Amino acid sequence: METCPCGSPDYETCCGPLHRGERNAATAEELMRSRYSAFAKQDPFYLARTWHPRTRPDDVSADPSLAWTGLSIVSSTEDTVDFVARYTDASGAGELREHSRFARRGGRWVYVDGDVN
């Protein structure tokens, strides 16, 4: 059993089915967790598919110099998620704090944008 990067005990029953396109995220928080896991697994296809086309950058590749090491959800509403994502890079340990906004598009949740704190 492989631990899911988002913190769940089992990737195959957590973010794995979303990454493989077997199902869509049911909530904005579930999408946020799966996007964090996609960054950790360096899956640009999933990131592009779940990013609102109006705000998606041309290059959605994950930064290979970052190793994502943990995720904490601070709070969430129907269409926002506040989180802390921890990582390590050449400079050592760090964290990203963001207030993310999500929207439903074509019946699926997508990431719109976020404010980094």
Side-chain angles (χ1 to χ4, degrees):
M1 184 180 324
E2 175 187 0
T3 302
C4 191
C6 81
S8 170
D10 185 15
Y11 173 75
E12 289 305 315
T13 60
C14 187
C15 294
L18 281 73
H19 291 171
R20 291 188 299 270
E22 295 170 2
R23 69 178 185 84
N24 293 323
T27 65
E29 182 177 329
E30 185 178 33
L31 180 65
M32 200 269 109
R33 288 177 173 281
S34 69
R35 286 178 53 81
Y36 169 84
S37 293
F39 275 106
K41 290 185 160 289
Q42 298 190 12
D43 183 349
F45 301 108
Y46 185 76
L47 294 171
R49 187 169 41 121
T50 59
W51 209 314
H52 196 291
R54 180 176 45 82
T55 58
R56 181 178 54 229
D58 292 335
D59 182 6
V60 295
S61 301
D63 183 346
S65 71
L66 294 178
W68 294 99
T69 60
L71 174 68
S72 298
I73 303 298
V74 176
S75 65
S76 64
T77 67
E78 181 181 359
D79 60 357
T80 66
V81 179
D82 292 294
F83 68 90
V84 179
R86 290 172 297 288
Y87 63 86
T88 58
D89 63 11
S91 301
E95 64 181 31
L96 169 73
R97 294 176 174 268
E98 183 173 310
H99 173 78
S100 298
R101 287 175 284 280
F102 299 84
R104 302 271 300 169
R105 180 175 166 85
R108 296 183 313 122
W109 284 104
V110 292
Y111 172 77
V112 176
D113 61 16
D115 299 319
V116 177
N117 304 338

